Amino acid sequence: MIKQEFQAVVLAGGSGHRLGPLTETFPKCLLPIVNVPLIHYQLVLLENAGFTEVIVIVSEEQSAQINAYLTDMYNGKLRVRVSKVPKSSGTADALRSIQDQLIGDFVVISGDVVTDISLVHALNTHRINDPAITVLLKPQTTESDTSSKEGKASIDFVAVEKNTNRLLMLLPSADLEEHLIIQRSLLRRINSIQIRTDLVDGHIYVFSRWVCDYLLENKSISSIKFQLIPQIINSQFSSHEPKKSLTHDLDTICLPAQEKGYCCACIIQDGFLVRVNTMSTYLNANLNLLKDTSQVSDGNQHSATIGLKSHISAECVIGANVKLGERTTIKRSVMGNNCTIGDNVKITNSIIMDHVTIDDNCTLINAIVCSNSHLKSKCTLKNSQVPFGMVVSANTRSTSETITQSGNNNSGDGNKSLLVSFDGN
């Protein structure tokens, strides 16, 4: 267990705009992942590393919902302090807003991370090397988020000193123009540089306390990933290095030569890590956790009412008060509470949220169906997503397409049928 020499911060103020209609009802950090809110996984990650308290930073407009969950429903071991920032705040702005609460080195976790790795290795790496920043990196997998804001393939260019894992570059491809330029001065100072494009930034960082003072002195820095970290990395071999405070009130001094913004890469080989910031990674996060339901509250235990010749596979998590008709099959899927599923329904690799009704003879593959939705009979949905409270007309067929304002909605209740496909599939 890690002693409380580190503080913990979760950045839970993200808008989730790339998740489309999923975040119209929920703040991103409260989206259900295997029937529990997304923020639950960052809190458990910290608990498992021995932390006893955490600062959760949220946007002002979402604070009421997130506070309600943390106060009324979260029953973990952490003492949680919530700090509010304006919606327009960047990640570095958020850190700057709580600098007076940070008295020592601290770990920052993005509020959309789902992982089964341990923080202990990253914390130990930081303790041993005493760097400005320790960045957790992981080899890229099919489950990792590698799409840019425009939906195009995106990678990070990572340069490390081969024998020490000293971090020399962390450059998103979005920031790269035509050529990757390595400064000649860096080549003179470092004997062996390894440049990799197979590593994913886990958005888990350990910072030395003096970085807060650096942020106060450089108020134009708004982003941790795109501004703060590159500046600190570049300062390692700059004559204008960042300064390290002796105390909060006294003058600052320059770091010793061997500590000029020294940065570490902590590369974790095992386990999975997914950032839930697109429809596809939302699905992947759920399906990854189903591989080992011991990580999920209540595992695959359920009390569903199951009709004749219906079957729920082992890699499923089913909520309370679920009713299945006859000859219905559910494989590798998550189903929320109070769902009613008809006869001869096939559901595979899909996420069904609370209070969903699916009528007879429907087939869902790689689908996300949001709460309070109703699928009429004989619908076939593949790689598709149904927003909150929508009625999907009978006989709808969709494969990675968008259907809006269906003209043949026979529900009779005035609702419009809306189907939105998720990106990347």
Side-chain angles (χ1 to χ4, degrees), residues 29-268:
C29 70
L30 296 184
L31 279 175
I33 305 289
V34 194
N35 290 345
V36 295
L38 174 55
I39 195 173
H40 164 88
Y41 295 95
Q42 297 103 55
L43 299 180
V44 169
L45 183 66
L46 290 167
E47 286 183 20
N48 290 341
F51 285 88
T52 58
E53 60 181 40
V54 60
I55 301 170
V56 176
I57 304 180
V58 304
S59 68
E60 291 172 341
E61 66 174 6
Q62 297 178 344
S63 61
Q65 286 176 282
I66 298 170
N67 259 317
Y69 166 72
L70 293 172
T71 302
D72 301 333
M73 301 181 65
Y74 171 66
N75 58 1
K77 301 175 183 178
L78 294 174
R79 176 175 173 263
V80 181
R81 286 183 284 166
V82 175
S83 180
K84 296 182 287 186
V85 295
K87 180 181 178 181
S88 59
S89 298
T91 51
D93 299 323
L95 277 187
R96 195 180 288 112
S97 74
I98 61 164
Q99 59 85 26
D100 59 336
Q101 301 180 56
L102 298 171
I103 59 175
D105 292 1
F106 56 97
V107 59
V108 174
I109 303 176
S110 176
D112 57 12
V113 170
V114 176
T115 182
D116 64 352
I117 66 172
S118 171
L119 287 179
V120 172
H121 186 44
L123 297 175
N124 284 341
T125 298
H126 192 84
R127 179 189 292 110
I128 292 168
N129 295 282
D130 193 25
I133 306 170
T134 299
V135 177
L136 190 147
L137 302 166
K138 192 165 187 324
Q140 184 175 308
T141 66
T142 56
E143 292 83 9
S144 304
D145 176 43
T146 57
S147 56
S148 68
K149 292 180 180 180
E150 293 77 23
K152 300 177 181 179
S154 177
I155 58 175
D156 288 323
F157 289 89
V158 179
V160 296
E161 187 175 10
K162 189 171 182 180
N163 296 324
T164 67
N165 274 353
R166 182 176 190 174
L167 186 60
L168 307 173
M169 177 190 297
L170 179 60
L171 180 66
S173 60
D175 286 354
L176 188 66
E177 295 181 356
E178 293 184 357
H179 305 285
L180 179 63
I181 299 174
I182 306 295
Q183 296 295 330
R184 189 172 298 175
S185 60
L186 178 61
L187 297 174
R188 284 196 297 263
R189 290 169 181 258
I190 303 298
N191 293 326
S192 180
I193 299 176
Q194 185 178 51
I195 298 178
R196 301 179 61 171
T197 59
D198 65 329
L199 296 174
V200 174
D201 177 4
H203 287 250
I204 297 175
Y205 312 118
V206 190
F207 289 99
S208 290
R209 172 60 183 80
W210 65 263
V211 173
C212 286
D213 301 309
Y214 182 71
L215 280 175
L216 285 177
E217 295 171 2
N218 295 272
K219 295 185 178 180
S220 63
I221 296 176
S222 180
S223 168
I224 292 175
K225 169 69 181 272
F226 296 100
Q227 294 175 291
L228 176 61
I229 291 178
Q231 286 191 28
I232 298 293
I233 290 175
N234 291 338
S235 75
Q236 293 179 96
F237 306 106
S238 170
S239 59
H240 303 288
E241 68 274 6
K243 297 178 180 180
K244 181 177 182 180
S245 293
L246 284 172
T247 70
H248 292 205
D249 301 318
L250 299 179
D251 292 336
T252 59
I253 60 171
C254 292
L255 293 173
Q258 72 274 16
E259 295 182 0
K260 291 180 181 179
Y262 188 91
C263 301
C264 279
C266 178
I267 301 173
I268 304 293

Side-chain angles (χ1 to χ4, degrees), residues 306-321:
I306 303 176
L308 185 67
K309 296 184 179 180
S310 289
H311 175 69
I312 300 173
S313 73
E315 285 191 355
C316 288
V317 169
I318 307 297
N321 194 31

